[in-house]
Amino acid sequence: MKKLNLNFTALFMAAIVLAAMVSSCGSSKKLAQMPEDEVLVNVYCSGPEYQTNAEAFRYSAIGESMNQMTAKNKAMSEARAGLAQAINTIVKGVTDNYVKSGNYNNQEELMQKYEGLTREVVNQSLSGTKVICEEMTKTRSGNYKSYLCLELGGDDVLSSIQNRVNNEEMLKIDYNYEKFKKIYEEEMKKFEQ
């Protein structure tokens, strides 16, 4: 019986030592401490799930005002402007690459047509945006702060381009949808990286 108690005690001590070793391994990493003069800020409607990716354009914005609706309108206006800029950048890049990769007689005139098309597509597309996140807070000073994120599907933008090209005779003659779509999808995939 003594031998059994000794084995049990030795086994129990070994378990404690093993548990102490395992827990000390996990705590060997030191956590970065925030400087004393800083405070962590939680920004609503932001983070990876609210960023543009291969499927959709997204833009988050913040608006602040003494009036609740004005705060929301400021955030909405900022989000629309940011979304328009993001779409404009991608569509312009795609059309530049598309025209340069083609063998067109009058590239300069074609580029001007596509630039006009880009502006129209951006303006038309923004009407299809949807709010995917919206939060409202009230600050200590009594102001309202509106956080929101707008989204527009990448396919919606591509469809708008297709519809717009179909209405433009010069573009329609030289337009190859599959080639344009391929370049567009390549540009959108860059957001995944």
Side-chain angles (χ1 to χ4, degrees), residues 98-117:
Y98 175 75
V99 171
K100 286 176 187 170
S101 69
N103 192 12
Y104 306 109
N105 292 334
N106 194 347
Q107 282 189 334
E108 189 176 322
E109 188 177 340
L110 197 60
M111 283 302 293
Q112 288 174 348
K113 290 279 189 185
Y114 270 113
E115 284 175 14
L117 173 133

Side-chain angles (χ1 to χ4, degrees), residues 86-149:
I87 294 167
N88 190 33
T89 300
I90 290 294
V91 173
K92 183 162 178 20
V94 171
T95 55
D96 286 351
N97 289 336
Y98 175 75
V99 171
K100 286 176 187 170
S101 69
N103 192 12
Y104 306 109
N105 292 334
N106 194 347
Q107 282 189 334
E108 189 176 322
E109 188 177 340
L110 197 60
M111 283 302 293
Q112 288 174 348
K113 290 279 189 185
Y114 270 113
E115 284 175 14
L117 173 133
T118 299
R119 282 190 295 277
E120 290 178 32
V121 165
V122 168
N123 291 337
Q124 179 184 345
S125 296
L126 287 178
S127 64
T129 60
K130 63 181 177 180
V131 176
I132 61 168
C133 179
E134 185 174 10
E135 298 290 339
M136 181 74 68
T137 62
K138 193 166 186 178
T139 66
R140 285 189 179 137
S141 63
N143 284 349
Y144 291 95
K145 215 169 192 180
S146 175
Y147 299 81
L148 62 85
C149 182

Side-chain angles (χ1 to χ4, degrees), residues 1-7:
M1 191 73 154
K2 271 189 171 186
K3 191 171 186 172
L4 185 60
N5 273 345
L6 262 174
N7 285 341

Side-chain angles (χ1 to χ4, degrees), residues 34-93:
M34 191 176 308
E36 289 181 27
D37 63 336
E38 293 181 20
V39 177
L40 186 63
V41 176
N42 184 15
V43 180
Y44 301 105
C45 303
S46 69
E49 67 271 24
Y50 299 108
Q51 294 176 350
T52 297
N53 61 25
E55 284 84 42
F57 290 94
R58 294 186 186 97
Y59 197 87
S60 296
I62 302 169
E64 184 174 350
S65 174
M66 295 183 326
N67 179 285
Q68 192 173 8
M69 284 308 295
T70 303
K72 183 176 179 176
N73 288 339
K74 282 182 174 181
M76 183 67 75
S77 179
E78 179 68 27
R80 284 181 175 272
L83 196 58
Q85 183 60 41
I87 294 167
N88 190 33
T89 300
I90 290 294
V91 173
K92 183 162 178 20

